[in-house]
Amino acid sequence: MKTRDKILLSSLELFNEQGERNVTTNHIAAYLAISPGNLYYHFRNKSDIIYEIFQEYEKLVDFYLDIPENRPMTLDDMTFYLESVFDGLWSYRFFHRDLEYLLDRDPRLRSDYREFTNRCLAAISRIFEKLADAGIVEPQPEALRGAMSLNVWLVITNWMAFLKTAHAAKASACLTLHELKQGIYQVLTLEIPYLTPVYREQVMSLREKYRPTMPEQEEKSESPA
């Protein structure tokens, strides 16, 4: 693997584990056992590393949300989209953990993230449209479909922040992929009013697989009878 790629992968690992604000370029260089000068040969500063990591994240999500146009959409497709988006969120979790701070610090990132958000909203709206074509949800006017898409995006991108506050007694590093994917329950909940009778039971059954367990419930289940 090229040194440049090693820097990106190691930076992502350190940012995810320790938080971007707690990691310097010197930490990254030491982690890789290279000199700071070697790191600066490939990247001018930490902002450039973060920007390139975000570009990789963009490509991943764009790939996940590549919607098939040559066949009807299925519940398996919907499950794949949700699982994949939350997998991507987990793999690049440092980014959404400090999103506002990172966007304020880098105008390039702010501009690109705005375009990225618009693409994701358009893809989610198209997914709802295809679900309606497949008879899974009722057809909705474009304005309502846009509002539904925005609500789904808000749940996905803010679920981690909710977990950090709901688990205030625990370190954020203790959060798991399993807990993050419980956000899928919330996304599917938004679809309930629009499900067709034929698919309602299947979607409700799928939703139960992701039912969140709050810290208070976990403590009760762990306490002796």
Side-chain angles (χ1 to χ4, degrees), residues 56-67:
E56 293 301 316
Y57 176 54
E58 272 190 300
K59 292 175 187 175
L60 182 68
V61 175
D62 286 341
F63 173 76
Y64 284 153
L65 294 180
D66 185 19
I67 301 161

Side-chain angles (χ1 to χ4, degrees), residues 83-91 93 159 163 174-184 210:
E83 286 272 353
S84 298
V85 167
F86 275 89
D87 279 334
L89 190 64
W90 175 257
S91 297
R93 56 192 176 277
W159 181 245
L163 288 177
C174 295
L175 297 179
T176 65
L177 177 59
H178 173 72
E179 290 172 317
L180 186 66
K181 284 191 175 182
Q182 290 173 352
I184 294 174
Y210 301 98

Side-chain angles (χ1 to χ4, degrees), residues 74-85 131 184 188 206 209-210:
T74 66
L75 283 182
D76 285 342
D77 290 324
M78 185 176 70
T79 305
F80 170 79
Y81 294 138
L82 290 170
E83 286 272 353
S84 298
V85 167
L131 289 173
I184 294 174
L188 293 175
L206 173 64
K209 295 179 181 178
Y210 301 98

Side-chain angles (χ1 to χ4, degrees), residues 43-205:
F43 296 97
R44 294 177 303 169
N45 49 46
K46 190 170 70 166
S47 291
D48 283 352
I49 296 174
I50 293 168
Y51 183 66
E52 193 151 329
I53 288 174
F54 172 70
Q55 289 180 315
E56 293 301 316
Y57 176 54
E58 272 190 300
K59 292 175 187 175
L60 182 68
V61 175
D62 286 341
F63 173 76
Y64 284 153
L65 294 180
D66 185 19
I67 301 161
E69 298 293 345
N70 59 347
R71 60 172 177 81
M73 187 168 286
T74 66
L75 283 182
D76 285 342
D77 290 324
M78 185 176 70
T79 305
F80 170 79
Y81 294 138
L82 290 170
E83 286 272 353
S84 298
V85 167
F86 275 89
D87 279 334
L89 190 64
W90 175 257
S91 297
Y92 294 83
R93 56 192 176 277
F94 86 91
F95 188 75
H96 285 281
R97 211 157 47 197
D98 287 312
L99 180 60
E100 186 175 354
Y101 169 77
L102 293 172
L103 296 186
D104 284 344
R105 204 172 63 179
D106 190 338
R108 299 171 302 171
L109 200 56
R110 175 174 287 278
S111 176
D112 282 14
Y113 187 78
R114 187 183 302 115
E115 294 178 9
F116 170 67
T117 296
N118 289 335
R119 287 201 310 277
C120 289
L121 289 173
I124 295 168
S125 180
R126 182 58 181 150
I127 289 171
F128 275 124
E129 191 175 9
K130 292 279 286 182
L131 289 173
D133 292 342
I136 297 172
V137 300
E138 300 288 351
Q140 301 299 327
E142 185 176 350
L144 178 56
R145 197 166 62 245
M148 291 164 59
S149 302
L150 178 57
N151 287 342
V152 167
W153 180 249
L154 290 174
V155 169
I156 291 171
T157 55
N158 288 282
W159 181 245
M160 187 178 299
F162 169 76
L163 288 177
K164 285 177 66 178
T165 55
H167 294 244
K170 298 167 62 177
S172 60
C174 295
L175 297 179
T176 65
L177 177 59
H178 173 72
E179 290 172 317
L180 186 66
K181 284 191 175 182
Q182 290 173 352
I184 294 174
Y185 179 94
Q186 309 303 323
V187 174
L188 293 175
T189 298
L190 294 174
E191 298 180 10
I192 290 176
Y194 311 103
L195 295 173
T196 60
V198 176
Y199 283 91
R200 183 178 178 83
E201 186 176 339
Q202 294 178 63
V203 175
M204 296 297 283
S205 176

